[in-house]
Amino acid sequence: MSNDTTAAGDRDPEETREMVRERYGTIASDSQDCCGDVGIDTTDDDGCCEGNADATGSERLGYDADDVASVADGADLGLGCGNPKAFAEMTPGETVLDLGSGAGFDCFLAAEEVGPDGDVIGVDMTPEMVSKARENVAKNDAVNVEFRLGEISHLPVADATVDVVISNCVVNLAPEKQRVFDDAYRVLKPGGRVAISDVVQTAPFPDDVKMDPDSLTGCVAGASTVDSLEAMLDSAGFEAIEIAPKDESTEFISDWDADRDLSDYLVSATIEARKPAHPT
């Protein structure tokens, strides 16, 4: 039984997936890049990131200028709520799996970390995103990166073949989060780990947020609490579970909605766990 009790769990899973697929298909087609594209009011002359003209959307999320500059144009859509590279501790020769890989930004950064002897697999359920990411492979000369079409709750990846699973603000979009963690556990090698940036719910959402499709597909209404995430990871079989809210994320989360301060209900967090070296 799933431990996920968020509002997203009250919706039909296939309806949720279709809403998410449609939204991010549009983003891929439009090459939209706007501070995470989560309900931000972009009608002002200054556009998104108002008052932060010296920083890109990704730099506000925790990437540095070298990260942004190292990836060719077209892969960084500014979508996310953190930087999994910063704490995933990827090493040369490892195999990395990115859940909800989008246009490939985190995959290309991971490829630099694991080097030519490593491999990076990106999985995304949006055909337009996968197509865009595959086009970006050549732009980044990333011969050790591949992108596969699939759902993160049913990964097109073989058992026990991955060293580290990363993700950036995507698990909250999944209607069946327990299955996501169960499948991440399946594909990890013994001793493998997850290093995920995502949003966590810190207070109950107002009813209009819980029922708003834009809030769900915009990385808001599908957020789980820390306790719920810990329970799901434990149920999947993970150990050494650590979920650390990032207080500084309120700076950009407060920009996600023009009508309310979403940092009253959400915070970005790092989510880490490990598959036992000798699973029982």
Side-chain angles (χ1 to χ4, degrees):
M1 178 180 295
S2 172
N3 292 299
D4 186 12
T5 57
T6 64
D10 297 332
R11 297 176 182 271
D12 176 71
E14 189 51 45
E15 178 189 4
T16 297
R17 279 188 284 267
E18 187 54 39
M19 287 191 297
V20 172
R21 188 179 290 112
E22 181 178 352
R23 178 181 182 124
Y24 290 91
T26 299
I27 292 171
S29 299
D30 292 346
S31 297
Q32 195 165 343
D33 178 2
C34 192
C35 310
D37 183 52
V38 189
I40 296 172
D41 181 3
T42 61
T43 57
D44 294 336
D45 291 339
D46 292 329
C48 69
C49 302
E50 182 177 359
N52 291 274
D54 294 333
T56 68
S58 289
E59 286 178 74
R60 295 186 77 202
L61 302 178
Y63 298 91
D64 60 34
D66 289 340
D67 289 332
V68 176
S70 70
V71 177
D73 290 346
D76 180 11
L77 301 183
L79 302 170
C81 57
N83 174 11
K85 172 192 167 184
F87 59 96
E89 298 182 349
M90 294 172 279
T91 59
E94 287 192 314
T95 297
V96 178
L97 171 64
D98 184 11
L99 307 183
S101 48
F105 182 58
D106 287 312
C107 288
F108 299 127
L109 292 177
E112 296 174 2
E113 298 291 295
V114 302
D117 294 328
D119 294 291
V120 180
I121 303 166
V123 173
D124 202 287
M125 71 170 182
T126 307
E128 294 89 345
M129 280 293 187
V130 173
S131 177
K132 188 176 185 68
R134 288 173 175 168
E135 291 172 1
N136 288 330
V137 168
K139 294 180 183 179
N140 288 276
D141 193 26
V143 295
N144 60 339
V145 179
E146 66 170 303
F147 295 96
R148 302 177 185 176
L149 181 66
E151 296 175 3
I152 63 173
S153 55
H154 301 88
L155 290 163
V157 180
D159 295 357
T161 55
V162 172
D163 294 292
V164 55
V165 172
I166 64 173
S167 186
N168 194 350
C169 215
V170 173
V171 174
N172 76 86
L173 297 170
E176 298 167 303
K177 297 176 180 59
Q178 185 65 64
R179 291 187 179 182
V180 173
F181 293 123
D182 289 345
D183 224 32
Y185 186 93
R186 175 186 65 79
V187 303
L188 281 168
K189 301 174 184 177
R193 62 203 185 276
V194 296
I196 293 172
S197 291
D198 217 308
V199 286
V200 296
Q201 182 181 350
T202 56
F205 294 120
D207 288 342
D208 58 336
V209 171
K210 288 192 294 184
M211 300 308 297
D212 179 17
D214 287 339
S215 292
L216 175 61
T217 60
C219 299
V220 177
S224 299
T225 64
V226 170
D227 287 346
S228 179
L229 288 168
E230 288 176 341
M232 285 186 278
L233 286 161
D234 180 72
S235 179
F238 287 101
E239 61 182 16
I241 299 166
E242 295 186 14
I243 301 176
K246 310 294 285 185
D247 292 340
E248 62 270 25
S249 66
T250 59
E251 179 183 348
F252 61 80
I253 288 176
S254 64
D255 291 341
W256 282 5
D257 192 309
D259 298 323
R260 61 169 57 84
D261 186 352
L262 290 173
S263 66
D264 290 339
Y265 313 101
L266 288 174
V267 67
S268 177
T270 59
I271 301 169
E272 299 179 78
R274 187 171 293 273
K275 182 175 182 175
H278 303 286
T280 56

